[in-house]
Amino acid sequence: MSESFDPVITPDLEPRPDTGEPTCGYADDDGSGVRSAEPCGRSGTWHIAWRLATELHGAQCSFVCDVHMEVVAHHFVFADRHQVGPNCAMPGTLWFRSWMGKAECAVAL
């Protein structure tokens, strides 16, 4: 049985100014790929890596709230996620995954 894809839901990967507090960047679109609403703006509780950094590309990450994490987990494939921590919104942090599988952001020294 194949599931139908709902094209109305898309993650917002647009750059956001650093406000010092991670906020939910989730925004619905009208089905054509054009956002029809402003980003949610609630406090971001999840940090999602859509794509991790490689030699050719930088990481693509965003923040979402608890409500939108449920939507994202149901409709999208992402590389990794972790709950927002104190380093997540810091410039120059790296996505770190321990040998135990726990992901977090670490400050690069």
Side-chain angles (χ1 to χ4, degrees), residues 51-104:
R51 178 175 67 191
L52 295 173
T54 67
E55 291 179 12
L56 301 175
H57 301 284
Q60 286 185 317
C61 301
S62 59
F63 298 107
V64 295
C65 63
D66 287 331
V67 171
H68 288 119
M69 185 66 237
E70 289 184 34
V71 175
V72 167
H74 183 72
H75 291 283
F76 298 101
V77 175
F78 48 88
D80 206 354
R81 70 177 177 174
H82 62 261
Q83 290 199 320
V84 171
N87 295 328
C88 291
M90 298 286 290
T93 59
L94 301 172
W95 196 278
F96 174 75
R97 185 165 213 168
S98 74
W99 62 273
M100 296 175 60
K102 181 182 181 221
E104 62 185 331

Short mmCIF file of all heavy atoms in Angstrom, two decimals, residues 51-104:
data_model
loop_
_atom_site.label_atom_id
_atom_site.label_comp_id
_atom_site.label_asym_id
_atom_site.label_seq_id
_atom_site.Cartn_x
_atom_site.Cartn_y
_atom_site.Cartn_z
N ARG A 51 20.56 17.71 6.76
CA ARG A 51 21.73 17.10 6.12
C ARG A 51 22.94 17.45 6.98
O ARG A 51 23.12 18.60 7.37
CB ARG A 51 21.90 17.66 4.71
CG ARG A 51 23.12 17.11 4.00
CD ARG A 51 23.21 17.56 2.58
NE ARG A 51 23.46 19.01 2.54
CZ ARG A 51 23.37 19.72 1.45
NH1 ARG A 51 23.00 19.18 0.31
NH2 ARG A 51 23.62 21.01 1.47
N LEU A 52 23.78 16.45 7.29
CA LEU A 52 24.99 16.70 8.06
C LEU A 52 26.09 17.19 7.13
O LEU A 52 26.04 16.98 5.92
CB LEU A 52 25.42 15.42 8.79
CG LEU A 52 24.42 14.93 9.86
CD1 LEU A 52 24.86 13.59 10.39
CD2 LEU A 52 24.30 15.94 10.99
N ALA A 53 27.07 17.85 7.70
CA ALA A 53 28.17 18.41 6.91
C ALA A 53 29.01 17.29 6.29
O ALA A 53 29.21 16.24 6.88
CB ALA A 53 29.05 19.28 7.80
N THR A 54 29.45 17.53 5.06
CA THR A 54 30.36 16.64 4.35
C THR A 54 31.51 17.47 3.82
O THR A 54 31.56 18.68 4.04
CB THR A 54 29.65 15.95 3.16
OG1 THR A 54 29.32 16.94 2.18
CG2 THR A 54 28.39 15.22 3.59
N GLU A 55 32.42 16.84 3.10
CA GLU A 55 33.52 17.59 2.51
C GLU A 55 33.03 18.58 1.46
O GLU A 55 33.68 19.58 1.19
CB GLU A 55 34.52 16.63 1.88
CG GLU A 55 35.28 15.80 2.90
CD GLU A 55 36.25 14.84 2.24
OE1 GLU A 55 36.51 14.96 1.03
OE2 GLU A 55 36.75 13.97 2.96
N LEU A 56 31.89 18.29 0.84
CA LEU A 56 31.37 19.13 -0.23
C LEU A 56 30.30 20.13 0.21
O LEU A 56 30.11 21.15 -0.44
CB LEU A 56 30.79 18.26 -1.35
CG LEU A 56 31.76 17.27 -1.99
CD1 LEU A 56 31.04 16.39 -2.99
CD2 LEU A 56 32.91 18.02 -2.66
N HIS A 57 29.58 19.83 1.27
CA HIS A 57 28.45 20.67 1.68
C HIS A 57 28.46 20.90 3.19
O HIS A 57 28.85 20.02 3.94
CB HIS A 57 27.11 20.00 1.33
CG HIS A 57 26.94 19.70 -0.12
ND1 HIS A 57 26.64 20.67 -1.03
CD2 HIS A 57 27.02 18.55 -0.81
CE1 HIS A 57 26.54 20.12 -2.23
NE2 HIS A 57 26.78 18.84 -2.13
N GLY A 58 27.99 22.05 3.58
CA GLY A 58 27.79 22.31 5.00
C GLY A 58 26.50 21.66 5.47
O GLY A 58 25.68 21.20 4.67
N ALA A 59 26.32 21.60 6.76
CA ALA A 59 25.10 21.03 7.33
C ALA A 59 23.92 21.96 7.07
O ALA A 59 24.08 23.17 6.95
CB ALA A 59 25.27 20.81 8.82
N GLN A 60 22.73 21.38 6.97
CA GLN A 60 21.48 22.16 6.90
C GLN A 60 20.67 21.79 8.12
O GLN A 60 20.26 20.63 8.29
CB GLN A 60 20.70 21.83 5.64
CG GLN A 60 21.28 22.41 4.39
CD GLN A 60 20.39 22.13 3.20
OE1 GLN A 60 19.87 21.03 3.05
NE2 GLN A 60 20.21 23.11 2.35
N CYS A 61 20.46 22.76 8.98
CA CYS A 61 19.78 22.52 10.25
C CYS A 61 18.70 23.56 10.49
O CYS A 61 18.74 24.65 9.91
CB CYS A 61 20.77 22.58 11.41
SG CYS A 61 22.13 21.41 11.31
N SER A 62 17.75 23.22 11.34
CA SER A 62 16.73 24.19 11.74
C SER A 62 16.17 23.78 13.09
O SER A 62 16.42 22.68 13.58
CB SER A 62 15.63 24.31 10.69
OG SER A 62 15.00 23.07 10.48
N PHE A 63 15.42 24.70 13.68
CA PHE A 63 14.77 24.47 14.97
C PHE A 63 13.27 24.34 14.78
O PHE A 63 12.70 25.05 13.94
CB PHE A 63 15.04 25.64 15.93
CG PHE A 63 16.48 25.84 16.26
CD1 PHE A 63 17.19 26.90 15.73
CD2 PHE A 63 17.15 24.97 17.09
CE1 PHE A 63 18.52 27.10 16.01
CE2 PHE A 63 18.49 25.14 17.39
CZ PHE A 63 19.18 26.21 16.85
N VAL A 64 12.64 23.47 15.55
CA VAL A 64 11.18 23.38 15.56
C VAL A 64 10.70 23.19 16.99
O VAL A 64 11.45 22.74 17.85
CB VAL A 64 10.63 22.23 14.67
CG1 VAL A 64 10.93 22.47 13.21
CG2 VAL A 64 11.12 20.89 15.11
N CYS A 65 9.44 23.52 17.22
CA CYS A 65 8.81 23.34 18.52
C CYS A 65 8.33 21.88 18.64
O CYS A 65 8.38 21.11 17.69
CB CYS A 65 7.66 24.31 18.70
SG CYS A 65 6.29 24.07 17.52
N ASP A 66 7.85 21.50 19.82
CA ASP A 66 7.35 20.13 20.04
C ASP A 66 6.22 19.77 19.08
O ASP A 66 6.18 18.67 18.55
CB ASP A 66 6.87 19.96 21.48
CG ASP A 66 8.01 19.89 22.48
OD1 ASP A 66 9.11 19.42 22.11
OD2 ASP A 66 7.80 20.29 23.64
N VAL A 67 5.29 20.70 18.88
CA VAL A 67 4.14 20.44 18.01
C VAL A 67 4.61 20.13 16.59
O VAL A 67 4.19 19.15 15.97
CB VAL A 67 3.17 21.64 18.00
CG1 VAL A 67 2.10 21.48 16.95
CG2 VAL A 67 2.55 21.83 19.38
N HIS A 68 5.50 20.95 16.07
CA HIS A 68 5.95 20.76 14.69
C HIS A 68 6.96 19.62 14.55
O HIS A 68 7.11 19.08 13.46
CB HIS A 68 6.45 22.08 14.10
CG HIS A 68 5.33 23.03 13.84
ND1 HIS A 68 5.24 24.25 14.44
CD2 HIS A 68 4.23 22.88 13.06
CE1 HIS A 68 4.12 24.84 14.03
NE2 HIS A 68 3.50 24.02 13.20
N MET A 69 7.61 19.22 15.64
CA MET A 69 8.49 18.04 15.57
C MET A 69 7.66 16.80 15.24
O MET A 69 8.10 15.94 14.49
CB MET A 69 9.25 17.85 16.88
CG MET A 69 10.27 16.73 16.83
SD MET A 69 11.63 17.08 15.69
CE MET A 69 11.53 15.67 14.60
N GLU A 70 6.45 16.72 15.78
CA GLU A 70 5.56 15.60 15.46
C GLU A 70 5.23 15.59 13.97
O GLU A 70 5.22 14.54 13.34
CB GLU A 70 4.29 15.67 16.30
CG GLU A 70 4.50 15.36 17.76
CD GLU A 70 3.21 15.35 18.55
OE1 GLU A 70 2.16 14.95 17.99
OE2 GLU A 70 3.25 15.75 19.72
N VAL A 71 4.95 16.76 13.41
CA VAL A 71 4.65 16.87 11.98
C VAL A 71 5.87 16.48 11.15
O VAL A 71 5.78 15.69 10.21
CB VAL A 71 4.20 18.30 11.61
CG1 VAL A 71 3.99 18.44 10.12
CG2 VAL A 71 2.93 18.67 12.37
N VAL A 72 7.03 17.01 11.51
CA VAL A 72 8.27 16.73 10.79
C VAL A 72 8.59 15.24 10.85
O VAL A 72 8.93 14.63 9.82
CB VAL A 72 9.43 17.57 11.36
CG1 VAL A 72 10.78 17.08 10.85
CG2 VAL A 72 9.24 19.04 11.02
N ALA A 73 8.48 14.64 12.02
CA ALA A 73 8.81 13.21 12.17
C ALA A 73 7.88 12.34 11.33
O ALA A 73 8.29 11.28 10.86
CB ALA A 73 8.73 12.81 13.64
N HIS A 74 6.66 12.79 11.12
CA HIS A 74 5.69 12.00 10.36
C HIS A 74 5.86 12.18 8.84
O HIS A 74 5.60 11.26 8.08
CB HIS A 74 4.27 12.40 10.77
CG HIS A 74 3.20 11.62 10.09
ND1 HIS A 74 2.95 10.30 10.38
CD2 HIS A 74 2.34 11.96 9.11
CE1 HIS A 74 1.98 9.86 9.60
NE2 HIS A 74 1.58 10.85 8.83
N HIS A 75 6.29 13.36 8.39
CA HIS A 75 6.28 13.67 6.96
C HIS A 75 7.65 13.78 6.30
O HIS A 75 7.71 13.86 5.07
CB HIS A 75 5.53 14.99 6.72
CG HIS A 75 4.06 14.88 6.97
ND1 HIS A 75 3.20 14.28 6.10
CD2 HIS A 75 3.32 15.29 8.02
CE1 HIS A 75 1.97 14.33 6.59
NE2 HIS A 75 2.01 14.94 7.76
N PHE A 76 8.73 13.86 7.06
CA PHE A 76 10.04 14.13 6.46
C PHE A 76 11.10 13.13 6.90
O PHE A 76 11.01 12.53 7.96
CB PHE A 76 10.53 15.53 6.84
CG PHE A 76 9.64 16.62 6.33
CD1 PHE A 76 8.74 17.25 7.16
CD2 PHE A 76 9.69 17.01 5.00
CE1 PHE A 76 7.92 18.25 6.70
CE2 PHE A 76 8.87 18.01 4.52
CZ PHE A 76 7.98 18.63 5.37
N VAL A 77 12.12 13.03 6.08
CA VAL A 77 13.32 12.26 6.42
C VAL A 77 14.40 13.27 6.78
O VAL A 77 14.62 14.23 6.05
CB VAL A 77 13.78 11.40 5.23
CG1 VAL A 77 15.09 10.70 5.54
CG2 VAL A 77 12.69 10.41 4.84
N PHE A 78 15.04 13.09 7.92
CA PHE A 78 16.12 13.98 8.33
C PHE A 78 17.29 13.12 8.80
O PHE A 78 17.14 11.94 9.10
CB PHE A 78 15.65 14.95 9.42
CG PHE A 78 14.90 14.31 10.55
CD1 PHE A 78 15.56 13.80 11.65
CD2 PHE A 78 13.51 14.22 10.50
CE1 PHE A 78 14.86 13.21 12.70
CE2 PHE A 78 12.80 13.63 11.53
CZ PHE A 78 13.48 13.13 12.64
N ALA A 79 18.47 13.72 8.84
CA ALA A 79 19.68 12.97 9.18
C ALA A 79 19.77 12.69 10.67
O ALA A 79 20.19 11.60 11.08
CB ALA A 79 20.92 13.74 8.73
N ASP A 80 19.40 13.65 11.50
CA ASP A 80 19.53 13.49 12.95
C ASP A 80 18.71 14.57 13.64
O ASP A 80 18.29 15.55 13.00
CB ASP A 80 21.00 13.61 13.36
CG ASP A 80 21.33 12.86 14.65
OD1 ASP A 80 20.41 12.33 15.32
OD2 ASP A 80 22.52 12.81 14.99
N ARG A 81 18.52 14.43 14.94
CA ARG A 81 17.85 15.45 15.74
C ARG A 81 18.27 15.29 17.19
O ARG A 81 18.71 14.21 17.61
CB ARG A 81 16.33 15.35 15.63
CG ARG A 81 15.78 14.12 16.33
CD ARG A 81 14.28 14.06 16.29
NE ARG A 81 13.80 12.83 16.90
CZ ARG A 81 12.54 12.56 17.11
NH1 ARG A 81 11.62 13.42 16.74
NH2 ARG A 81 12.19 11.43 17.67
N HIS A 82 18.15 16.35 17.93
CA HIS A 82 18.34 16.29 19.38
C HIS A 82 17.58 17.47 19.99
O HIS A 82 17.22 18.41 19.30
CB HIS A 82 19.82 16.32 19.78
CG HIS A 82 20.56 17.55 19.38
ND1 HIS A 82 21.34 17.61 18.26
CD2 HIS A 82 20.64 18.77 19.94
CE1 HIS A 82 21.88 18.81 18.16
NE2 HIS A 82 21.46 19.54 19.16
N GLN A 83 17.33 17.36 21.29
CA GLN A 83 16.65 18.47 21.95
C GLN A 83 17.62 19.65 22.03
O GLN A 83 18.83 19.48 22.15
CB GLN A 83 16.16 18.05 23.32
CG GLN A 83 15.00 17.06 23.20
CD GLN A 83 14.20 16.96 24.46
OE1 GLN A 83 14.72 16.97 25.55
NE2 GLN A 83 12.89 16.86 24.29
N VAL A 84 17.06 20.84 21.94
CA VAL A 84 17.87 22.06 21.94
C VAL A 84 18.63 22.16 23.27
O VAL A 84 18.06 21.96 24.34
CB VAL A 84 16.99 23.31 21.73
CG1 VAL A 84 17.77 24.59 21.97
CG2 VAL A 84 16.40 23.29 20.33
N GLY A 85 19.91 22.45 23.16
CA GLY A 85 20.77 22.64 24.33
C GLY A 85 21.40 24.02 24.30
O GLY A 85 21.16 24.81 23.37
N PRO A 86 22.24 24.32 25.27
CA PRO A 86 22.81 25.67 25.37
C PRO A 86 23.73 26.05 24.22
O PRO A 86 23.92 27.24 23.95
CB PRO A 86 23.57 25.64 26.70
CG PRO A 86 23.81 24.21 26.98
CD PRO A 86 22.67 23.46 26.36
N ASN A 87 24.31 25.09 23.52
CA ASN A 87 25.24 25.41 22.42
C ASN A 87 24.58 25.50 21.06
O ASN A 87 25.21 25.94 20.10
CB ASN A 87 26.35 24.36 22.35
CG ASN A 87 27.22 24.37 23.58
OD1 ASN A 87 27.43 25.41 24.19
ND2 ASN A 87 27.72 23.21 23.96
N CYS A 88 23.34 25.10 20.94
CA CYS A 88 22.71 24.97 19.63
C CYS A 88 22.65 26.27 18.83
O CYS A 88 22.80 26.24 17.61
CB CYS A 88 21.31 24.38 19.77
SG CYS A 88 21.33 22.65 20.28
N ALA A 89 22.40 27.38 19.46
CA ALA A 89 22.27 28.64 18.74
C ALA A 89 23.58 29.42 18.67
O ALA A 89 23.61 30.51 18.12
CB ALA A 89 21.19 29.50 19.38
N MET A 90 24.65 28.84 19.19
CA MET A 90 25.95 29.51 19.18
C MET A 90 26.58 29.43 17.79
O MET A 90 26.53 28.38 17.15
CB MET A 90 26.90 28.87 20.19
CG MET A 90 26.43 28.96 21.62
SD MET A 90 26.61 30.60 22.30
CE MET A 90 28.37 30.69 22.42
N PRO A 91 27.18 30.51 17.32
CA PRO A 91 27.87 30.44 16.03
C PRO A 91 29.09 29.53 16.13
O PRO A 91 29.76 29.48 17.17
CB PRO A 91 28.28 31.89 15.76
CG PRO A 91 28.03 32.64 17.00
CD PRO A 91 27.19 31.83 17.91
N GLY A 92 29.36 28.78 15.08
CA GLY A 92 30.55 27.95 15.03
C GLY A 92 30.45 26.62 15.74
O GLY A 92 31.45 25.93 15.92
N THR A 93 29.26 26.22 16.16
CA THR A 93 29.13 24.93 16.82
C THR A 93 29.13 23.81 15.79
O THR A 93 28.84 24.02 14.61
CB THR A 93 27.85 24.82 17.67
OG1 THR A 93 26.72 25.04 16.83
CG2 THR A 93 27.85 25.81 18.80
N LEU A 94 29.44 22.61 16.25
CA LEU A 94 29.46 21.42 15.41
C LEU A 94 28.44 20.42 15.90
O LEU A 94 28.19 20.31 17.10
CB LEU A 94 30.85 20.77 15.45
CG LEU A 94 32.02 21.63 15.00
CD1 LEU A 94 33.33 20.91 15.29
CD2 LEU A 94 31.89 21.95 13.52
N TRP A 95 27.85 19.69 14.97
CA TRP A 95 26.92 18.61 15.32
C TRP A 95 27.78 17.44 15.76
O TRP A 95 28.64 16.96 15.04
CB TRP A 95 26.10 18.23 14.10
CG TRP A 95 24.89 17.43 14.44
CD1 TRP A 95 24.85 16.09 14.68
CD2 TRP A 95 23.57 17.91 14.58
NE1 TRP A 95 23.57 15.70 14.95
CE2 TRP A 95 22.76 16.80 14.90
CE3 TRP A 95 22.97 19.16 14.46
CZ2 TRP A 95 21.38 16.91 15.09
CZ3 TRP A 95 21.61 19.27 14.66
CH2 TRP A 95 20.83 18.15 14.97
N PHE A 96 27.60 16.97 16.98
CA PHE A 96 28.42 15.90 17.54
C PHE A 96 27.54 14.71 17.89
O PHE A 96 26.47 14.87 18.47
CB PHE A 96 29.14 16.40 18.80
CG PHE A 96 29.90 15.34 19.52
CD1 PHE A 96 31.11 14.87 19.02
CD2 PHE A 96 29.41 14.80 20.69
CE1 PHE A 96 31.81 13.88 19.68
CE2 PHE A 96 30.10 13.81 21.37
CZ PHE A 96 31.30 13.35 20.86
N ARG A 97 27.99 13.53 17.53
CA ARG A 97 27.27 12.31 17.89
C ARG A 97 28.23 11.39 18.62
O ARG A 97 29.26 11.01 18.08
CB ARG A 97 26.72 11.63 16.64
CG ARG A 97 25.87 10.45 16.99
CD ARG A 97 25.07 10.00 15.82
NE ARG A 97 23.84 9.50 16.39
CZ ARG A 97 22.79 9.22 15.70
NH1 ARG A 97 22.78 9.43 14.43
NH2 ARG A 97 21.73 8.74 16.29
N SER A 98 27.91 11.05 19.85
CA SER A 98 28.79 10.20 20.65
C SER A 98 28.73 8.76 20.17
O SER A 98 27.83 8.37 19.42
CB SER A 98 28.40 10.27 22.13
OG SER A 98 27.22 9.54 22.36
N TRP A 99 29.65 7.96 20.63
CA TRP A 99 29.66 6.54 20.27
C TRP A 99 28.42 5.83 20.79
O TRP A 99 28.06 4.77 20.32
CB TRP A 99 30.94 5.88 20.78
CG TRP A 99 31.08 5.90 22.28
CD1 TRP A 99 31.63 6.89 23.03
CD2 TRP A 99 30.64 4.91 23.20
NE1 TRP A 99 31.56 6.59 24.36
CE2 TRP A 99 30.96 5.36 24.50
CE3 TRP A 99 30.01 3.68 23.07
CZ2 TRP A 99 30.66 4.63 25.63
CZ3 TRP A 99 29.72 2.96 24.21
CH2 TRP A 99 30.04 3.43 25.48
N MET A 100 27.72 6.45 21.74
CA MET A 100 26.49 5.86 22.27
C MET A 100 25.27 6.30 21.47
O MET A 100 24.15 5.93 21.76
CB MET A 100 26.30 6.25 23.75
CG MET A 100 27.39 5.69 24.63
SD MET A 100 27.29 6.25 26.33
CE MET A 100 25.70 5.66 26.84
N GLY A 101 25.48 7.12 20.44
CA GLY A 101 24.39 7.55 19.58
C GLY A 101 23.70 8.83 19.99
O GLY A 101 22.79 9.28 19.32
N LYS A 102 24.15 9.43 21.11
CA LYS A 102 23.53 10.69 21.56
C LYS A 102 24.07 11.85 20.75
O LYS A 102 25.28 12.05 20.64
CB LYS A 102 23.83 10.90 23.03
CG LYS A 102 23.20 12.17 23.56
CD LYS A 102 23.54 12.43 25.01
CE LYS A 102 22.84 13.69 25.43
NZ LYS A 102 23.61 14.54 26.25
N ALA A 103 23.18 12.64 20.17
CA ALA A 103 23.57 13.81 19.38
C ALA A 103 23.46 15.06 20.24
O ALA A 103 22.61 15.15 21.12
CB ALA A 103 22.67 13.94 18.14
N GLU A 104 24.34 16.02 19.99
CA GLU A 104 24.29 17.32 20.63
C GLU A 104 25.17 18.28 19.85
O GLU A 104 25.96 17.87 19.00
CB GLU A 104 24.74 17.24 22.09
CG GLU A 104 26.18 16.80 22.25
CD GLU A 104 26.56 16.62 23.71
OE1 GLU A 104 25.99 17.30 24.58
OE2 GLU A 104 27.44 15.81 23.98
#
